[in-house]
Amino acid sequence: MNSLYPEPHYWRPCDENGVCHCDFRFQIFDCVESEPLRQLYLATGITSGVLTVVIIIILYIRLNYRNQTIFEIRDGFPRPKPIESMAVLGAVFNLLQAVNAAIILTDSIPNPIFRSFMYDFPFQFGYCCLACYFFGVAYALADSSRLISAKWVTSHSFFNILCVITMTAPFVTNNIFSIVGGYYASVGKNGKATQSSICQYVHWTLYCAFMACSLLFAGYRLVRLLSKHMQTRTDLRFNVSSIKTGIIKVKVIIGVGCACMTSYCILLGFYSAWRDWILAHTLINTIVSVLWLCSGTMATIVVVIAVIISPKVVLQMSNIFFTLDNKSSENNLTKKNSITGFSTNTRRPSKIASTINPAPPTIPLPNAALESQFSMEELIRDSMDSYNFTSEASSSKIEEDQIKYNATINRVRTPPLYHLMKYPNRVSDTFK
């Protein structure tokens, strides 16, 4: 690669002492960072290849055995499903990462334009992977309730346009800047290549900041809705294991996505401002390359574990978390009562009370492994159905109390029997 293009190389700058440093986006040979970068690309390529196979297997199971879909058509617009669309783009991201690692390690296709494009191209699918999860959750929440749809998605047309722009903007802007920067680097115009690189990663910084905020907002709304749904199902004496499992998995995916996007936002902004200084320091250059190449791979590993983890393990984790929350709330209540002079009765109910007022039987539900087959949209819609059921039950109770009250008033207002016997001529008028 080095013999085809003039010196000084944009991708392998050298100082006055003849010490050269590698821009790991283009090549990793003939520089002081060659060995750590070679090991890094080797580990990244193997891990990404394995993750690609695992994601394809998960996607095959969800599509064929759980009857899920990647997209669904609503009003003539394809809406992404959160998990399935994220899995498709995640598989493409890791596959392209493995291909790029193989190209760098074998020093194939020594063209700066292709190297610049090929390095940045996989991350665009990784970004769209999280974007699909965000818009999938947003569409599911909007479809679950008219109130949520009115407050959050005021215009479905605008939301559809926002989805298209978010998914396509990185492919348009960043590919242009990467190709232009690779061209200027190939002809030796390092200043213009640096400017193109700055524009490219400033755009990436803005995209990552937007996605981190969007994931945090959508995840907060979804966890809040599922938590309220869990409280409702507890009051109705249903098994809430599937809801707890869903809450834990959503928290993991949202947390990992926000952390990944935030780290890339800081890293790419830092790289766009101080690229030359980063390349001139071996340790800083190696740390930046590790964070850049491994953040997406590590995020993929955590998300895959969250998707395929056993519901029993997730339920144990959720029980620990919810038990800690309940204990903290009880401790706060005890402290409050001790200050105000009241005491709480924590004695267990006696056997006599349990025999007089036996606990109602719980309604059995399927196994947790079967409950996990339901999609997120079904869980959200089920939560809104439980709210409607509760409101209908309360309204029917009010109507029943009103009928009893009216019957009591009518009996009070009815003339007594001795009054009718005293005036027999009114008996016929009363029952007429």
Side-chain angles (χ1 to χ4, degrees):
M1 180 176 179
N2 296 334
S3 61
L4 298 179
Y5 301 98
E7 294 284 353
H9 295 303
Y10 174 77
W11 53 87
R12 197 173 65 90
C14 302
D15 57 16
E16 60 276 4
N17 298 323
V19 178
C20 298
H21 302 273
C22 286
D23 187 343
F24 57 91
R25 301 175 303 152
F26 290 88
Q27 64 101 26
I28 60 173
F29 297 103
D30 300 329
C31 60
V32 294
E33 303 92 355
S34 294
E35 184 59 26
L37 290 179
R38 187 187 69 83
Q39 296 179 0
L40 175 62
Y41 268 105
L42 182 62
T44 302
I46 295 174
T47 307
S48 297
V50 173
L51 286 175
T52 302
V53 176
V54 173
I55 294 173
I56 291 175
I57 294 174
I58 295 174
L59 186 62
Y60 177 79
I61 293 174
R62 294 185 67 91
L63 294 179
N64 290 275
Y65 294 97
R66 298 186 180 179
N67 298 323
Q68 302 294 333
T69 57
I70 301 174
F71 295 94
E72 61 178 359
I73 305 298
R74 292 286 187 89
D75 300 329
F77 184 83
R79 297 183 177 183
K81 304 293 287 293
I83 300 298
E84 289 73 26
S85 60
M86 183 175 63
V88 171
L89 295 176
V92 176
F93 164 70
N94 284 277
L95 178 62
L96 292 177
Q97 281 276 80
V99 172
N100 182 63
I103 293 173
I104 294 294
L105 289 171
T106 58
D107 201 16
S108 304
I109 315 178
N111 188 307
I113 300 176
F114 176 79
R115 292 284 181 92
S116 178
F117 167 79
M118 191 61 195
Y119 179 82
D120 193 70
F121 192 56
F123 291 98
Q124 299 168 16
F125 286 94
Y127 173 84
C128 291
C129 171
L130 296 176
C132 278
Y133 185 80
F134 162 67
F135 284 103
V137 170
Y139 283 124
L141 286 174
D143 293 338
S144 64
S145 172
R146 293 182 180 179
L147 181 61
I148 296 177
S149 179
K151 288 185 177 180
W152 193 3
V153 187
T154 55
S155 175
H156 285 277
S157 299
F158 172 77
F159 204 72
N160 294 337
I161 295 174
L162 180 63
C163 178
V164 173
I165 293 176
T166 304
M167 299 284 290
T168 57
F171 289 94
V172 176
T173 58
N174 294 339
N175 285 335
I176 292 175
F177 289 127
S178 63
I179 293 174
V180 172
Y183 168 75
Y184 283 130
S186 65
V187 297
K189 296 182 179 180
N190 295 345
K192 292 185 177 181
T194 302
Q195 293 177 358
S196 299
S197 178
I198 291 174
C199 293
Q200 177 182 356
Y201 293 116
V202 165
H203 279 79
W204 264 128
T205 303
L206 297 177
Y207 292 148
C208 293
F210 168 75
M211 187 51 57
C213 296
S214 301
L215 285 174
L216 185 62
F217 177 70
Y220 171 77
R221 295 293 295 270
L222 180 58
V223 170
R224 186 178 178 183
L225 176 63
L226 293 178
S227 299
K228 290 182 178 180
H229 175 43
M230 185 185 66
Q231 296 174 1
T232 305
R233 297 292 290 268
T234 302
D235 296 337
L236 295 176
R237 298 184 300 279
F238 279 92
N239 191 347
V240 296
S241 61
S242 60
I243 307 175
K244 289 183 179 180
T245 302
I247 291 175
I248 292 296
K249 290 188 176 183
V250 168
K251 286 182 178 180
V252 170
I253 295 175
I254 293 297
V256 170
C258 289
C260 183
M261 288 292 100
T262 304
S263 63
Y264 274 122
C265 178
I266 298 173
L267 181 65
L268 298 181
F270 178 70
Y271 185 84
S272 64
W274 292 288
R275 175 186 177 273
D276 295 335
W277 179 82
I278 291 173
L279 294 181
H281 295 78
T282 303
L283 180 61
I284 303 298
N285 190 17
T286 305
I287 292 175
V288 170
S289 62
V290 170
L291 294 176
W292 202 326
L293 289 172
C294 293
S295 295
T297 305
M298 295 303 297
T300 305
I301 293 174
V302 177
V303 172
V304 168
I305 293 175
V307 172
I308 67 176
I309 193 171
S310 172
K312 293 182 179 180
V313 177
V314 178
L315 184 58
Q316 292 176 358
M317 296 171 57
S318 62
N319 286 334
I320 293 174
F321 294 145
F322 287 110
T323 301
L324 293 176
D325 294 339
N326 293 333
K327 287 183 178 180
S328 62
S329 61
E330 290 177 359
N331 292 333
N332 295 331
L333 179 61
T334 304
K335 292 179 181 179
K336 183 178 179 180
N337 291 334
S338 61
I339 295 174
T340 56
F342 294 97
S343 62
T344 57
N345 185 11
T346 59
R347 293 182 300 175
R348 295 181 179 178
S350 62
K351 295 182 178 180
I352 300 176
S354 62
T355 56
I356 296 175
N357 297 318
T362 58
I363 300 175
L365 287 180
N367 191 1
L370 297 178
E371 293 174 2
S372 62
Q373 296 180 3
F374 295 104
S375 62
M376 181 181 298
E377 293 85 349
E378 294 174 351
L379 187 60
I380 295 174
R381 291 166 186 167
D382 185 48
S383 67
M384 303 312 300
D385 294 338
S386 66
Y387 294 155
N388 296 332
F389 175 76
T390 305
S391 60
E392 291 176 0
S394 60
S395 61
S396 61
K397 179 65 176 176
I398 294 174
E399 293 177 357
E400 183 180 355
D401 293 340
Q402 185 67 32
I403 293 173
K404 291 181 179 180
Y405 174 77
N406 293 334
T408 304
I409 293 300
N410 291 332
R411 286 196 299 268
V412 172
R413 293 177 179 177
T414 301
L417 183 60
Y418 71 89
H419 182 75
L420 296 177
M421 297 299 296
K422 186 175 181 181
Y423 303 97
N425 56 344
R426 296 184 181 180
V427 175
S428 60
D429 297 333
T430 304
F431 297 98
K432 184 177 294 184

